Structure formats: structure tokens, C-alpha cells
Amino acid sequence: MKKSMKALMITAMAAATVLAGCSSKPAETQAPAAETTAEGTTAGDTAADTTAADTAADGASYTVGIGQFAAHGSLDNCREGFIQGLADAGIVEGQNLTILYENAQADGGTASQINTNFAAKNVDLICGIATPMAQSAYGVAKKANIPVIYTAVTDPVAAELAGADGTPVGEITGTSDTLPVKQQLEMIRAMLPDAKTIGIMYTTSEVNSISTIAQYKEAAPEYGFEIVETGISATADVPLAADSLLGKVDCVTNLTDNTVVASLPVILDKAAKKNIPVFGSEIEQVKIGCLAAMGLDYVQLGKQTGAMAAKVLKGEAKASEMNYEVIAEAAFYGNEKVAENLGLTIPEDLADTAAEIFTEITQ
């Protein structure tokens, strides 16, 4: 993890400071967050080469590459939680941690470029946020002997990042945002007692979505539902696919599909005009206009991931020694304003146990 080289550099800097008669306070140089666009251009690339000069009490400092597959609330929350999880373990940005952050804007080619860039900078660890980014990170990092910690990977086994027993396939582990499918179906039935069909839009190239749809299809009959699915390959497909899907179903439930979530406002607008409820999979989706969700708290998921990454960085464990983890409990989130617009009422038993009920729609 380059600790020996960094320690020598710090010693040399300190000696030079004494000879010059300058202040003994070490200089702070921190790379600003770099953002990659869908075209693959990077802002702040030169500055990103700079490593933090501040060190922990034991002299160790770290550089972590955070690659995020798409820009939307749940993945942003994962990143925020991941950084907090590291900080809780004493690895703090601007002190003993330099973060190189880039966003692929839901483009697989850009995700590959980002991870290749991280490997070229010889980072200590890569955090891959969302399944496509995690897969890309591992493909690049294993050749460079860089550990990978992922988060928001719905099915690590289907993504070939873990074995059937949860053990890592190499120096890679992290946290899964596996959806509580049966709890979601039970909640939808409670809110829509007469509904028969549930629509799901998904990206055909996202293995996480394909895996979750299979779970929905298996469980739906138990709750008296039929699943109607529509696949897309890119963001441009969403408007037409939404029009088609909304004409066939009583309601829609949303997955953690990155391309679909990034276009969720389009789907919500079209559904509202047809008075069709849309259910989310996590808190941010409910905030912006989904009726309700039995969902996850992605900040907490990120914190859990950051704690795992800290163990790897400190040498307390290898990524290959830790099975992937999941959040134990889902929580109910509802939006009273959306319910009012649809002429519905959130059942009292759900409202009473809710993690949060929103009274407005945020854009």
C-alpha cells in the first residue's frame, strides 16, 4: 500500500523544513473530486495525481479511487456513507486520505476508463458503486493487485463477484443492496387491494436487474400479482418504454436499475398523468415522487462498506477474507402528497411503522 515510500517522503519533507527554518506544520495537499462525463473527459485530472500530506498517528496515508456508475440519489448516498464509514475508522479525507472520485454517467466504456485511470495512479483501494462499476473495477484491479470494495451490488453472485456461499472470487468484497422483494409485494397488496398487474422496467445489460425480476416473478403469484416487464438498453429508450408499460399495468415497481433510476422523473411524470402508482426501492425514490417503498437506507449501506474498506486499508483483513454483507432490515417509506394526488390513503399499520413519511414531492 505504498506506506514505506510515503513514510520516506514525509521524513524528507520534515528534514527540509527544519533546515529551512520554516514552520514544522506539514503542508496539506488534497486532490479535488474529479468527475468524468459520459464522453470520458475528466475534470481536475492533474490535481488528482497529488496525494495527501497529512498522515495518521501511525504515519500511514491512503489514496482511494471511488468510481460511481451513475448520478442519482441512492448512489450519491452510498458515496457519502462510504466516506463517513472510513472517517469513523480514523481514515479521514484531507488528513490521511486522498479521494479520487469519478462518475461514469451510466456509460460502461467510461466506467472502464475510470478504473484504468485509478490503476495507473496505483491507488491503495478502489470502491465500485453499483454493479457495472464493481465488475469493471475488479476486471482492471486484479491485474494491478489492487483490492476492490463494492457497494450497491444487488446480486454479487450473479455478477460473478462472489461464490454461491458468499465468498469473494478474489481481492474483492463489499455490500449488497438486495431488495426485500416479498416485503415489497406485501406492501403493494396492502396499498392496492384490487391491483392485478405490476410493471417493471429494467436495463437488459444489468445482471442485478435481471436477477431481481426473476425473484419478483417467482414471488408475485403468492400475492395475486402478474409481473409485466419491459427491457431497455439505454436512457433514450425510457420514454417510449414507459408509454408502452403504463398502458398494460395497474402499477409500477422500480428496482435499483441504474439507467432506469437516472430517468425516474420521466417515468413518474408519465405515470402521474395516467394516475398510475409507482413504487420505489429506497428512500430517495419516494422523496421525488414514488408512492412508497419497502426500501434501504443507502447512507447506512455506504457506512457499512466504508468500515469494510478501512479494515483492508489498515491491513486488518484482506478483501478475499470477508464475505459480502447485506443490510439486515428494510424500512417503509411513504409519500402522503403522492397518495393524495392518486386519491389513495397510506394504510395506518404501514404509516405507524414507517421510517419516514414525506408530505411533499422534492425535485
Side-chain angles (χ1 to χ4, degrees):
M1 294 189 180
K2 309 189 290 295
K3 296 189 185 76
S4 297
M5 180 63 70
K6 290 179 182 176
L8 288 172
M9 291 174 63
I10 293 165
T11 302
M13 290 170 61
T17 301
V18 171
L19 289 173
C22 297
S23 169
S24 60
K25 181 180 179 181
E28 295 186 7
T29 56
Q30 178 186 346
E35 180 111 5
T36 299
T37 66
E39 290 74 30
T41 56
T42 304
D45 197 50
T46 302
D49 285 319
T50 307
T51 57
D54 282 344
T55 58
D58 62 358
S61 61
Y62 312 94
T63 299
V64 172
I66 301 178
Q68 185 171 318
F69 185 65
H72 58 75
S74 56
L75 299 190
D76 292 342
N77 284 350
C78 277
R79 186 180 75 251
E80 175 189 331
F82 177 75
I83 295 170
Q84 183 59 55
L86 287 173
D88 290 345
I91 301 176
V92 182
E93 185 178 12
Q95 296 181 16
N96 59 341
L97 170 65
T98 296
I99 291 176
L100 312 182
Y101 165 66
E102 301 190 22
N103 193 305
Q105 305 296 340
D107 183 85
T110 304
S112 180
Q113 292 173 16
I114 287 170
N115 288 305
T116 299
N117 184 41
F118 287 158
K121 296 179 188 303
N122 199 25
V123 298
D124 295 306
L125 178 144
I126 295 175
C127 173
I129 303 178
T131 302
M133 184 61 78
Q135 290 173 310
S136 170
Y138 183 56
V140 171
K142 64 183 177 181
K143 299 174 184 177
N145 198 31
I146 297 171
V148 175
I149 303 294
Y150 56 76
T151 187
V153 172
T154 302
D155 191 338
V157 177
E160 299 182 347
L161 302 177
D165 59 354
T167 56
V169 296
E171 291 304 326
I172 179 168
T173 190
T175 57
S176 169
D177 59 346
T178 300
L179 294 177
V181 171
K182 289 191 173 183
Q183 290 172 270
Q184 180 86 346
L185 288 168
E186 183 178 355
M187 179 267 293
I188 295 174
R189 177 52 72 206
M191 298 194 72
L192 303 177
D194 298 324
K196 294 180 174 62
T197 53
I198 300 175
I200 300 177
M201 188 184 301
Y202 73 103
T203 306
T204 55
S205 61
E206 290 203 25
V207 294
N208 51 304
S209 297
I210 295 170
S211 172
T212 306
I213 285 177
Q215 294 178 51
Y216 265 104
K217 285 184 172 181
E218 182 179 354
E222 180 180 346
Y223 299 90
F225 291 120
E226 176 190 355
I227 301 299
V228 179
E229 62 190 271
T230 296
I232 63 169
S233 58
T235 303
D237 300 336
V238 170
L240 187 60
D243 287 335
S244 175
L245 184 64
L246 291 168
K248 304 173 184 176
V249 299
D250 297 316
C251 66
V252 171
T253 192
N254 194 44
L255 308 180
T256 52
D257 186 293
N258 297 286
T259 305
V260 174
V261 172
S263 301
L264 188 55
V266 174
I267 300 169
L268 290 171
D269 181 63
K270 289 179 176 291
K273 291 175 181 176
K274 293 180 178 291
N275 207 47
I276 294 177
V278 178
F279 294 91
S281 57
E282 49 85 30
I283 182 173
E284 296 298 328
Q285 295 172 22
V286 179
K287 283 182 181 179
I288 68 171
C290 286
L291 173 59
M294 288 300 298
L296 308 175
D297 184 333
Y298 277 83
V299 173
Q300 291 302 317
L301 188 71
K303 286 182 179 180
Q304 192 170 334
T305 314
M308 297 178 77
K311 290 180 181 179
V312 174
L313 289 170
K314 292 179 175 182
E316 296 172 358
K318 291 183 177 181
S320 57
E321 297 171 344
M322 296 187 287
N323 287 17
Y324 74 85
E325 299 177 0
V326 298
I327 282 188
E329 296 293 336
F332 176 75
Y333 301 93
N335 194 312
E336 287 184 340
K337 182 61 178 177
V338 175
E340 178 186 334
N341 292 344
L342 293 167
L344 299 171
T345 302
I346 297 175
E348 187 175 340
D349 57 338
L350 286 173
D352 288 346
T353 59
E356 193 160 1
I357 297 289
F358 301 99
T359 57
E360 61 181 6
I361 301 170
T362 59
Q363 300 297 329

